[in-house]
Amino acid sequence: MIEDIERVLLEESIILQRLDDLAQKITLDYQGKDLTVISLMNGSFVFMADLLRRIPLPLQIDSWSISSYHGTRTSGRVEFRQNHIADVKGRHVLILDDILDSGRTLRAVFDRLEAESGATNIRSCVLLDKKVQRHTPFVADYAGFEIPDEFVVGYGLDYNERYRNLPFIGVLKAEAIARHAR
Ligand code: IMP
Ligand code: MG
């Protein structure tokens, strides 16, 4: 698995240091508020686990299974894999996602929450903010790292469902992209 990585972009220790800052900020901002964190699966499972253990607030957690990526390209279609959404009426909602790329996923999630949930306030927190011309304009309220427009894997992020369990974030070798293409 590691032999398929061209270059490490973010070491695990660097990611965890940054999560300390993000968690501190979020903890201050949501003091005394009824907070529900909704994490978008599968990509944000590692980010969610590491971030939320650094936030000592009485928050609630939900997760939505969502897919929009196929291979190394965004498909343009955001698919919600469940109909149920947690009751967040009157609550503050923080959406967690691994990466903000075209903006389509977070836009679709916000649209759905704004239309159906009755939440008091909805914000977003992404680990990675890709420097690209977004298809759908979207600005994250909290972001861990800005990264260049390259396809990355690890720390929850996948390429055709592989590499999610790498502890760091790295760029794949072209040869590995070709080998696992489908
Ligand atoms: P968006 O809807 O294009 O903003 O894309 C968001 C989703 O696409 C993320 O939740 C990821 O699952 C996936 N994605 C975007 N860029 C990458 C990447 O570089 N590596 C792996 N997955 C990515
Ligand atoms: Mg994802």
Side-chain angles (χ1 to χ4, degrees):
M1 196 166 56
I2 287 188
E3 62 283 1
D4 292 347
I5 299 300
E6 171 89 48
R7 173 165 64 86
V8 175
L9 207 62
L10 297 165
E11 295 283 2
E12 185 179 16
S13 59
I14 301 289
I15 298 173
L16 295 179
Q17 264 177 40
R18 179 67 183 132
L19 294 197
D20 286 340
D21 305 338
L22 273 183
Q24 200 177 21
K25 189 152 195 315
I26 291 168
T27 302
L28 282 174
D29 291 352
Y30 287 96
Q31 211 72 242
K33 305 209 162 97
D34 293 320
L35 174 63
T36 298
V37 174
I38 299 178
S39 66
L40 306 186
M41 292 295 147
N42 293 319
S44 58
F45 76 108
V46 183
F47 176 42
M48 172 182 91
D50 281 342
L51 181 72
L52 295 190
R53 281 178 296 169
R54 290 171 162 72
I55 301 179
L57 292 175
L59 51 82
Q60 296 182 4
I61 297 173
D62 192 20
S63 59
W64 290 11
S65 177
I66 291 199
S67 133
S68 74
Y69 238 70
H70 294 285
T72 61
R73 300 215 125 134
T74 168
S75 72
R77 215 166 12 88
V78 177
E79 189 189 327
F80 288 84
R81 295 193 178 138
Q82 75 282 291
N83 298 319
H84 164 83
I85 66 172
D87 182 8
V88 291
K89 200 167 187 330
R91 297 182 63 85
H92 291 249
V93 172
L94 182 63
I95 308 293
L96 296 189
D97 205 3
D98 48 3
I99 184 165
L100 172 57
D101 185 354
S102 74
R104 286 184 177 102
T105 302
L106 281 169
R107 188 67 264 159
V109 167
F110 268 62
D111 286 349
R112 181 158 182 202
L113 279 166
E114 280 160 7
E116 298 177 28
S117 76
T120 297
N121 173 272
I122 309 168
R123 287 188 199 155
S124 61
C125 174
V126 297
L127 178 65
L128 307 175
D129 185 349
K130 221 185 240 190
K131 282 291 278 177
V132 287
Q133 182 71 43
R134 299 217 196 291
H135 171 273
T136 308
F138 194 94
V139 179
D141 297 287
Y142 305 91
F145 302 90
E146 226 177 53
I147 62 162
D149 186 8
E150 286 182 291
F151 190 79
V152 294
V153 294
Y155 199 76
L157 292 126
D158 74 307
Y159 172 55
N160 288 336
E161 294 306 325
R162 290 166 195 265
Y163 307 104
R164 290 197 196 273
N165 53 325
L166 282 174
F168 55 82
I169 291 171
V171 178
L172 269 183
K173 288 180 181 160
E175 174 268 307
I177 292 181
R179 182 156 30 93
H180 298 302
R182 57 170 194 228

